[in-house]
């Protein structure tokens, strides 16, 4: 990847982290990890976005969104949070 492509990817990851922080109304101490993964299960989309939410003193949560990274919106994160 070129430097410009890497910068665009970082911007996409940062955008989704900020959407997650807003959707969760997370404290500044909450850390997020965002990944796009291939899913080979029959009921799964080809690519999904997984957001790990790491809050101090809490068990890490994984939010799975059946969309590619650049299509993720705040309402998708809210939907992933629903029981």
């Amino acid at each position: 990847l070129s430097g410009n492509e890497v910068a665009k990817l970082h911007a996409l990851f940062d955008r989704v982290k900020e959407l997650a922080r807003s959707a969760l109304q997370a404290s500044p101490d909450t850390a997020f990890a965002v990944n796009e993964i291939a899913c080979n299960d029959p009921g799964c989309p080809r690519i999904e976005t997984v957001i790990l939410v790491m809050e101090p003193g809490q068990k890490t949560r994984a939010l799975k969104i059946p969309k590619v990274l650049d299509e993720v919106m705040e309402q998708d994160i809210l939907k992933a949070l629903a029981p």
Side-chain angles (χ1 to χ4, degrees):
L1 295 174
S2 72
N4 193 30
E5 291 169 322
V6 170
K8 285 182 184 178
L9 277 175
H10 281 290
L12 284 173
F13 285 112
D14 288 344
R15 181 186 73 83
V16 172
K17 286 178 187 178
E18 287 308 311
L19 288 174
R21 184 173 301 284
S22 174
L24 291 164
Q25 299 178 346
S27 75
D29 294 339
T30 301
F32 296 91
V34 177
N35 290 291
E36 223 179 31
I37 62 168
C39 184
N40 296 322
D41 292 337
C44 194
R46 199 171 59 82
I47 300 287
E48 67 181 359
T49 298
V50 177
I51 304 169
L52 297 179
V53 182
M54 297 162 280
E55 298 172 283
Q58 303 277 338
K59 187 175 178 180
T60 298
R61 292 187 283 168
L63 307 177
K64 295 182 179 184
I65 300 169
K67 292 185 174 183
V68 294
L69 187 66
D70 62 349
E71 294 177 0
V72 173
M73 303 300 288
E74 187 170 354
Q75 60 264 29
D76 300 314
I77 297 167
L78 291 170
K79 184 176 177 182
L81 285 167

